[in-house]
Amino acid sequence: MDGLIGQSDGLIRLAVFAGVFLVMALVELVWPKRKLIVSKRKRWLTNIGISVAGTALLRLMAILAVPIAAIAAAFYAQSHHIGLLNQVSWPQWLKVVIALLVLDLAIWAQHLASHKIALFWRLHQVHHADRDIDVTTAVRFHPVEIGLSMLWKIVVVVPLGASPLAVFLFEVILNACAIFNHANVALPAWFDRILRQFIVTPDMHRVHHSVLRREHDSNYGFNLSLWDRLFRTYTAQPKAGHQGMTIGLTPYQSEAPTRFGWSLWLPFGPQRRNIDSGKEKNGG
Ligand SMILES: [Zn+2]
């Protein structure tokens, strides 16, 4: 299994990504939750362009002999018997479950940090500047944030001793869940209620894209909804309702976030304050 992952994990991940993306894009076209306010063509070009730039950056770093890939780190830890889970002879399935849980918590914590630490917020606000939320918002992450996220995963994977299979599964699940919970899809309320007991639903994650700081500083989860309940960062619904809420960031309610160059430059330019209810953000 590990051999198969080592040879074709990139291809399998791309296939799953494309499949989930196409299905959810179709579903949100048929059952949209909100009417989109920005030109879809411009947004999609920019959001997908940002994603391609991130992938290109990781590839370029690999060519320059600095491969930063969590799966490669898992192979390294396994072959050198490094990391907690590589020391114990527990059943393989149990080790995979533990690794999936720890990685999910780690990504939750990284997301929290990217909202609380000004330097990281500079990068992460590129994701939040999107004024609509749909399947392409899921891939709108600044290339530097993608690189840092990969480094963070490696920092967790090696001491944990997560297997290549666990890391592969985690990346596939994270990708699929991110596309699902960013989709502009109207799920029946009863279905959402049941589903969000376990995983992050589109309604739960939409709260996180509100312009209001108390709302976008909550619901940090991407896969399991457990962490936000456990750490009391859970907001059930947006105050203004899903139709009335404003998506994006207060200082950037213009067409600027639909521009590719503007979006990539945003972390490095002068920062505007995001003010609501007397609270400030973006100061650093
Ligand atoms: Zn966020």
Side-chain angles (χ1 to χ4, degrees), residues 200-266:
V200 177
T201 63
D203 278 7
M204 182 177 160
H205 192 70
R206 195 174 301 106
V207 178
H208 182 76
H209 282 263
S210 160
V211 287
L212 300 177
R213 185 176 181 188
R214 63 182 170 278
E215 290 184 350
H216 68 232
D217 278 3
S218 70
N219 297 3
Y220 295 107
F222 281 116
N223 295 337
L224 297 176
S225 58
L226 165 79
W227 312 119
D228 285 301
R229 294 175 204 275
L230 199 63
F231 297 106
R232 300 181 178 278
T233 50
Y234 175 67
T235 304
Q237 304 294 341
K239 197 175 162 215
H242 287 281
Q243 302 301 330
M245 71 186 292
T246 306
I247 303 281
L249 295 172
T250 310
Y252 309 121
Q253 291 296 310
S254 62
E255 53 78 53
T258 62
R259 295 207 303 264
F260 178 74
W262 181 92
S263 301
L264 287 189
W265 185 247
L266 180 60

Side-chain angles (χ1 to χ4, degrees), residues 125-136:
Q125 65 179 334
V126 175
H127 177 65
H128 279 269
D130 205 351
R131 291 177 66 208
D132 283 319
I133 173 168
D134 68 11
V135 284
T136 63

